[in-house]
Amino acid sequence: MTIPPEPRPAWTHGPVGVVGLGLIGGSLGLDLQARGAEVRALVHRAATAERARARALATRVATEPSVLEGCELVVLALPLDRLLVPSPELVAALPAAAVLTDVGSVKVPLLPAWSEALGRIGRPEQARRFVPSHPMAGTAEAGVEAGVANLFVGRPWVVTPEASTDPAALALVADLAASLGARWLCCGAAAHDQAVALISHLPVLVSAALLQAADRGGGRNGPLLAELVRALASSGFADTTRVGGGNPELGTLMARCNREALLEALGTYRHCLEVLEHEVRAEAWGPLQEALAACRDLRPQFL
Amino acid sequence: MTIPPEPRPAWTHGPVGVVGLGLIGGSLGLDLQARGAEVRALVHRAATAERARARALATRVATEPSVLEGCELVVLALPLDRLLVPSPELVAALPAAAVLTDVGSVKVPLLPAWSEALGRIGRPEQARRFVPSHPMAGTAEAGVEAGVANLFVGRPWVVTPEASTDPAALALVADLAASLGARWLCCGAAAHDQAVALISHLPVLVSAALLQAADRGGGRNGPLLAELVRALASSGFADTTRVGGGNPELGTLMARCNREALLEALGTYRHCLEVLEHEVRAEAWGPLQEALAACRDLRPQFL
């Protein structure tokens, strides 16, 4: 992990392109304009463009890829599946000299996909100017109405450059993150994907299974118990199941795109839970209490 | 589940005894006095009695069991282990005519333990006037400083009477719960214990294992990843791990006192998580998304 440079708005030398104006793209558009940049945004649908203009999410909003012409930096703020399978039209529309970055929450498959896509149109060297990013900021909202100012302040902005990544491109994205108030974190793509599997994708399944267990465990013992579990569930249950009750498309996409790291995390989790279950079964109350005490001491390290 | 009667302060005919002035007992003492009752409290230690008097948690506070003489209703607001293994001194000090109730979060072993304890001193019939209660109200606090007014308003007050329970005793406790503003819920002891295993005791272990997995999964891949999982964990991880990072003594006590229902809940949970893991492994993205969509629809039923 490196220290961010002093904020210099190097990215304001020319217009900044933003592809997609959902939560991340729209928030970027608002922040970049507030910091003096001209923002040129490409969106898919005319209705989205209209709402984006009404919300002033960018200086120019178009459904025509030519809007990106002249941009020295283009942020690809697309859903993960569209980042990992780049559309040929989009790739062809990106200015050949531009620094590229993205916002995807899974990093290992990203650069290989883009290297191939850029190679296919005769611009393999541009992959060196693609800085894989994961700005870890979010709300429960999505879509063109979701973008808000200052979304990135104090949040991690993870980058996973390769050895071949152009240092000037990396510095430009570091400038961008610093200007938005984000915390710059640099690590390998594999380490990033393992970390988000453990702290973001695994909790979704752990939490979803708890909802299923409460429902099925209740239902199996008749309607009275099914009613009772619903009546008695309190704030602890609500907290533990929040991420498991979230957006199913997003949860599935994460699992699909980070499958191997998630399976490894699930294996680790399964082992931890089996040990706890064994302690309950064996009435090993001393070891169980020690394990729970260790968890109590562990949690503040993650907050 | 039955409808509570109209609040009638039947329990104010005589002084009310409260044994223990922690979060639940202290809050009860404040509320009962506010509603016009004389509250006589028995605590274990002289220092606790002093603080309880300073906080005016009861009308009279003593470390001598004789303080309970003359009480027509005694609420046993003790930790679960002391409720399930009643001390002979306490049992002997309870007025023979009093209605008894408790606040324990596990109910199956309670009445058998008290029936035996009361039988041993020649008062087997008093077990019919013991109304097992579980007022489900809590904060993160504990001890003599924890009691607050109006803790029970809108919270479930679960009772698990037996067929032999005296209806007049049950009505007296229903009056008490209604006067405190609690929601009255009546069910069998086994159903109660299965329900709290699913929505309260299981989440502790599910959540603790997630903390362990994030720690071990991170640590196994070197110090950088261990640092990264801590840096990237956000509000979703914090929520999902909250109950797993809670009081280890309490977590262990719940597991110990509700072991069988917890093991059944763990079995149900393990099966649910295995199916989700299988879907990830088999790349069954359609079924995974359907399962997560069902979870999203399920969660509001528990809130």
Side-chain angles (χ1 to χ4, degrees), chain B residues 34 37 52 56 63 76 97 99 188 201 221 289:
Chain B
T63 57
L76 304 161
V99 169
H201 307 163
N221 289 295
Q289 188 167 321

mmCIF file of all heavy atoms in Angstrom, chain B residues 34 37 52 56 63 76 97 99 188 201 221 289:
data_model
loop_
_atom_site.group_PDB
_atom_site.id
_atom_site.type_symbol
_atom_site.label_atom_id
_atom_site.label_comp_id
_atom_site.label_asym_id
_atom_site.label_seq_id
_atom_site.Cartn_x
_atom_site.Cartn_y
_atom_site.Cartn_z
ATOM 1 N N ALA B 34 -42.954 3.480 38.909
ATOM 2 C CA ALA B 34 -43.616 4.564 38.174
ATOM 3 C C ALA B 34 -45.115 4.307 38.056
ATOM 4 O O ALA B 34 -45.901 5.233 37.889
ATOM 5 C CB ALA B 34 -42.983 4.710 36.790
ATOM 6 N N ALA B 37 -46.393 0.802 42.214
ATOM 7 C CA ALA B 37 -46.158 -0.389 43.029
ATOM 8 C C ALA B 37 -45.042 -0.153 44.048
ATOM 9 O O ALA B 37 -44.130 0.647 43.821
ATOM 10 C CB ALA B 37 -45.786 -1.563 42.128
ATOM 11 N N ALA B 52 -28.024 0.412 43.678
ATOM 12 C CA ALA B 52 -29.447 0.288 43.336
ATOM 13 C C ALA B 52 -30.271 1.305 44.132
ATOM 14 O O ALA B 52 -31.202 1.912 43.609
ATOM 15 C CB ALA B 52 -29.931 -1.131 43.610
ATOM 16 N N ALA B 56 -32.423 4.436 42.830
ATOM 17 C CA ALA B 56 -33.850 4.280 43.149
ATOM 18 C C ALA B 56 -34.503 3.220 42.269
ATOM 19 O O ALA B 56 -35.611 3.406 41.760
ATOM 20 C CB ALA B 56 -34.586 5.625 43.026
ATOM 21 N N THR B 63 -29.861 -7.260 50.825
ATOM 22 C CA THR B 63 -29.139 -8.497 50.502
ATOM 23 C C THR B 63 -29.680 -9.647 51.355
ATOM 24 O O THR B 63 -29.202 -10.770 51.251
ATOM 25 C CB THR B 63 -27.628 -8.330 50.756
ATOM 26 O OG1 THR B 63 -27.452 -7.937 52.122
ATOM 27 C CG2 THR B 63 -27.020 -7.271 49.843
ATOM 28 N N LEU B 76 -38.147 -13.197 39.162
ATOM 29 C CA LEU B 76 -36.766 -13.669 39.281
ATOM 30 C C LEU B 76 -35.988 -13.159 38.075
ATOM 31 O O LEU B 76 -36.074 -13.709 36.977
ATOM 32 C CB LEU B 76 -36.740 -15.194 39.350
ATOM 33 C CG LEU B 76 -37.595 -15.771 40.490
ATOM 34 C CD1 LEU B 76 -37.915 -17.238 40.255
ATOM 35 C CD2 LEU B 76 -36.908 -15.572 41.840
ATOM 36 N N ALA B 97 -47.085 -18.273 49.165
ATOM 37 C CA ALA B 97 -48.316 -17.978 48.415
ATOM 38 C C ALA B 97 -48.048 -17.174 47.148
ATOM 39 O O ALA B 97 -48.966 -16.937 46.355
ATOM 40 C CB ALA B 97 -49.277 -17.196 49.313
ATOM 41 N N VAL B 99 -47.075 -15.674 43.509
ATOM 42 C CA VAL B 99 -46.926 -16.024 42.100
ATOM 43 C C VAL B 99 -45.482 -15.727 41.725
ATOM 44 O O VAL B 99 -44.935 -14.685 42.095
ATOM 45 C CB VAL B 99 -47.906 -15.196 41.236
ATOM 46 C CG1 VAL B 99 -47.585 -15.353 39.758
ATOM 47 C CG2 VAL B 99 -49.339 -15.602 41.538
ATOM 48 N N GLY B 188 -45.698 -22.797 23.706
ATOM 49 C CA GLY B 188 -45.077 -23.889 24.440
ATOM 50 C C GLY B 188 -43.596 -23.625 24.667
ATOM 51 O O GLY B 188 -42.951 -22.913 23.890
ATOM 52 N N HIS B 201 -29.809 -17.560 19.019
ATOM 53 C CA HIS B 201 -28.588 -18.286 19.390
ATOM 54 C C HIS B 201 -27.785 -18.737 18.160
ATOM 55 O O HIS B 201 -26.558 -18.648 18.153
ATOM 56 C CB HIS B 201 -28.943 -19.476 20.288
ATOM 57 C CG HIS B 201 -29.775 -19.072 21.484
ATOM 58 N ND1 HIS B 201 -30.493 -19.943 22.240
ATOM 59 C CD2 HIS B 201 -29.987 -17.852 22.039
ATOM 60 C CE1 HIS B 201 -31.133 -19.284 23.208
ATOM 61 N NE2 HIS B 201 -30.836 -18.019 23.098
ATOM 62 N N ASN B 221 -3.071 -16.242 3.754
ATOM 63 C CA ASN B 221 -2.418 -15.795 2.531
ATOM 64 C C ASN B 221 -1.443 -14.655 2.774
ATOM 65 O O ASN B 221 -1.188 -13.842 1.893
ATOM 66 C CB ASN B 221 -3.483 -15.423 1.499
ATOM 67 C CG ASN B 221 -4.191 -16.664 0.972
ATOM 68 O OD1 ASN B 221 -3.594 -17.496 0.320
ATOM 69 N ND2 ASN B 221 -5.461 -16.801 1.307
ATOM 70 N N GLN B 289 -29.685 -17.294 -7.984
ATOM 71 C CA GLN B 289 -30.387 -16.004 -8.000
ATOM 72 C C GLN B 289 -31.813 -16.151 -7.481
ATOM 73 O O GLN B 289 -32.314 -15.279 -6.757
ATOM 74 C CB GLN B 289 -30.376 -15.408 -9.407
ATOM 75 C CG GLN B 289 -30.925 -13.985 -9.438
ATOM 76 C CD GLN B 289 -30.624 -13.269 -10.741
ATOM 77 O OE1 GLN B 289 -29.532 -13.421 -11.304
ATOM 78 N NE2 GLN B 289 -31.581 -12.498 -11.227
#
